[in-house]
Amino acid sequence: MSRLVFSSITTTITNKSFFLSHPSFSSFHFKFFKSSSSSRVSTMASSSSSPSPSSAIDFLTLCHSLKSTKRAGWVKRDIAGPESIADHMYRMGLMALISSDTPGVNRDKCIKMAIVHDIAEAIVGDITPSDGVPKEEKSRREKEAIDHMCKLLGGGPRAEEIHELWMEYEENSTNEAKVVKDFDKIEMILQALEYENEQNKDLEEFFQSTAGKFQTDLGKAWALEIASRRKKQG
């Protein structure tokens, strides 16, 4: 029987904040994490495939902000009842689920990547170009956040998988990353079309920002379908 090795990791979680300037708000206050006491997390060695109950609930509690944080682009354009970060990622997951099989693309991996690609925003919030945060600084903040979240999860295979998926997406380094990058844009313009229809808005800038930037045949086909529907409705 294989020998199990247990290690104890004591994580002291302190108050830490990121502040970003937003035109339509005095400020956004993104709490890095808050806990009134130290959290003691017991984890099995990397041979275990699952995080401890304590680590899992700590991680999921932090992810709650993905459900409550609204996508900044819509907020800045006065969209009523704008989608949350979690809303955006969920429909991207559905896109991956229903997409056709493509040679050289692992569809299951795309589903997983879709639901973790914006997970660092649970800590840093939805940073947009209009915030004036340099790309390098945005990347640094998000990398620090994903490292913290994976540590909070207790390390091990699950945390490593999340980290690897997130890095692949950020670096656009695999076929799956390219597909999910396209889904990110597709979800945005589909949502823009829906807001135009529901709230009588002109959101042309969102369509312009993605024009010519799709990397896959699937992304191009779906974008063309959305554009065709928008033209008919216009």
Side-chain angles (χ1 to χ4, degrees):
M1 185 174 181
S2 61
R3 186 178 179 184
L4 294 178
V5 180
F6 290 88
S7 62
S8 294
I9 300 174
T10 302
T11 305
T12 302
I13 304 169
T14 56
N15 294 339
K16 195 171 182 181
S17 302
F18 287 117
F19 291 90
L20 296 175
S21 174
H22 285 255
S24 57
F25 294 87
S26 58
S27 68
F28 266 166
H29 182 190
F30 299 114
K31 293 185 178 179
F32 189 87
F33 200 77
K34 183 177 181 180
S35 177
S36 59
S37 62
S38 296
S39 172
R40 189 170 184 82
V41 181
S42 296
T43 60
M44 295 179 68
S46 60
S47 58
S48 171
S49 63
S50 302
S52 71
S54 177
S55 295
I57 298 305
D58 282 347
F59 177 83
L60 293 171
T61 298
L62 177 55
C63 288
H64 168 75
S65 64
L66 295 169
K67 297 168 63 177
S68 58
T69 303
K70 305 303 181 183
R71 296 255 286 166
W74 308 128
V75 172
K76 292 171 183 176
R77 282 142 190 92
D78 298 319
I79 296 296
E83 67 172 349
S84 68
I85 297 168
D87 292 332
H88 168 67
M89 292 196 296
Y90 175 74
R91 187 154 63 171
M92 284 178 61
L94 289 179
M95 290 176 177
L97 180 63
I98 69 171
S99 63
S100 58
D101 291 327
T102 303
V105 175
N106 184 325
R107 193 165 56 88
D108 288 343
K109 186 177 182 181
C110 288
I111 296 170
K112 292 179 180 181
M113 191 177 290
I115 63 174
V116 304
H117 82 285
D118 277 342
I119 202 169
E121 293 180 13
I123 292 174
V124 303
D126 185 15
I127 303 172
T128 67
S130 64
D131 294 322
V133 178
K135 185 176 180 180
E136 295 76 15
E137 174 60 14
K138 177 178 182 290
S139 179
R140 185 197 66 77
R141 293 183 189 183
E142 292 179 345
K143 177 64 165 57
E144 183 178 279
I146 197 69
D147 288 346
H148 173 79
M149 294 179 78
C150 290
K151 183 177 179 181
L152 186 67
L153 192 55
R158 291 292 181 264
E160 290 171 7
E161 181 180 30
I162 289 172
H163 195 279
E164 288 171 5
L165 288 166
W166 187 86
M167 286 301 300
E168 277 187 34
Y169 178 84
E170 285 298 300
E171 296 171 355
N172 196 29
S173 60
T174 62
N175 290 335
E176 290 80 10
K178 290 176 172 57
V179 169
V180 179
K181 287 276 188 181
D182 277 3
F183 287 157
D184 185 51
K185 298 178 182 69
I186 290 292
E187 205 288 322
M188 184 182 73
I189 62 173
L190 178 56
Q191 186 64 79
L193 177 60
E194 290 162 349
Y195 285 147
E196 284 187 332
N197 293 336
E198 295 166 358
Q199 302 186 30
N200 194 31
K201 297 278 187 178
D202 180 2
L203 300 171
E204 172 66 18
E205 62 190 286
F206 291 93
F207 296 92
Q208 288 295 330
S209 70
T210 61
K213 295 183 179 179
F214 294 96
Q215 305 176 78
T216 67
D217 290 341
L218 178 63
K220 293 172 184 175
W222 286 16
L224 184 61
E225 176 64 22
I226 293 169
S228 175
R229 294 188 180 202
R230 185 172 184 248
K231 184 176 181 180
K232 290 178 182 177
Q233 293 169 8

